[in-house]
Amino acid sequence: MSNEGKWLVVKKRYGGLKGQWSLPAGFVEMGETADEAVIREVWEETGIQCRVKGLIGLRTGVIKGEISDNLLHFLLEPVSDQVVVSHQDNELYEARFMAIEELFHEKDASVILQYLIRKDITFLKQAISDLNPGDQFGYTAYKIFL
């Protein structure tokens, strides 16, 4: 969310959200934490550098009785506001910051986006990164959002 309260949203070219406004999303790559992945994915999709303010929540489900589908929702703060999507033309129609009022009336807003607009997202779980569960685990990165 920008300092002006606008949300960074993307319009997907593929999948179940094709043609709908949604939040930037993607997969965690080997060697990164979920919060590092969200920063990378937002950068790759929009060219926006950001930092994680906290965890909003978790969406979890099973697709067709087989595929575990889990998504962590983070509240991010942009470091810049210049959206660049040229390198993601194959994945996105558009990416931009939109005011909540505009998103509220947008017919192509995803169900999750519509729900989040109506919720108070000031309750965040912030990262705790100074805990060590024990050297026996061999963590190279470890954070808890509590």
Side-chain angles (χ1 to χ4, degrees), residues 4-7 98-107 109 117-118:
E4 297 83 30
K6 293 183 177 183
W7 290 23
M98 292 177 73
I100 292 174
E101 301 79 29
E102 185 181 2
L103 281 169
F104 184 78
H105 297 290
E106 177 58 55
K107 66 176 178 53
I117 290 167
R118 291 172 176 81

Side-chain angles (χ1 to χ4, degrees), residues 1-3 35 38-39 50-56 74-78 121 124-127 145:
M1 182 180 305
S2 73
N3 291 335
D35 57 308
V38 73
I39 290 169
C50 57
R51 61 180 147 261
V52 173
K53 292 184 76 173
L55 179 68
I56 297 171
F74 288 96
L75 181 63
L76 306 175
E77 178 179 51
I121 59 169
L124 298 174
K125 302 290 186 180
Q126 296 184 339
F145 289 82

Side-chain angles (χ1 to χ4, degrees), residues 13 32 34 40 42 44 54 60 84 88 95-97 99 122 127 131:
R13 285 187 181 267
E32 69 183 358
R40 177 187 49 75
V42 169
E44 287 177 0
T60 185
V84 179
Q88 290 291 318
R96 63 180 165 122
F97 283 97
T122 56
L131 294 177

Side-chain angles (χ1 to χ4, degrees), residues 24-99:
F27 294 97
V28 178
E29 292 182 354
M30 188 182 310
E32 69 183 358
T33 61
D35 57 308
E36 292 168 343
V38 73
I39 290 169
R40 177 187 49 75
E41 283 289 344
V42 169
W43 167 251
E44 287 177 0
E45 290 188 8
T46 69
I48 298 288
Q49 287 284 357
C50 57
R51 61 180 147 261
V52 173
K53 292 184 76 173
L55 179 68
I56 297 171
L58 163 71
R59 183 207 72 208
T60 185
V62 178
I63 299 172
K64 299 180 181 177
E66 296 179 1
I67 302 167
S68 180
D69 183 46
N70 303 289
L71 180 73
L72 297 168
H73 292 272
F74 288 96
L75 181 63
L76 306 175
E77 178 179 51
V79 176
S80 64
D81 61 1
Q82 183 65 37
V83 177
V84 179
V85 293
S86 60
H87 57 288
Q88 290 291 318
D89 283 344
N90 60 329
E91 292 186 19
L92 303 176
Y93 289 114
E94 189 177 355
R96 63 180 165 122
F97 283 97
M98 292 177 73

Side-chain angles (χ1 to χ4, degrees), residues 17 20-23 106-115:
L17 293 174
Q20 293 185 14
W21 290 105
S22 63
L23 298 171
E106 177 58 55
K107 66 176 178 53
D108 292 330
S110 68
V111 171
I112 293 293
L113 197 52
Q114 292 173 17
Y115 182 80

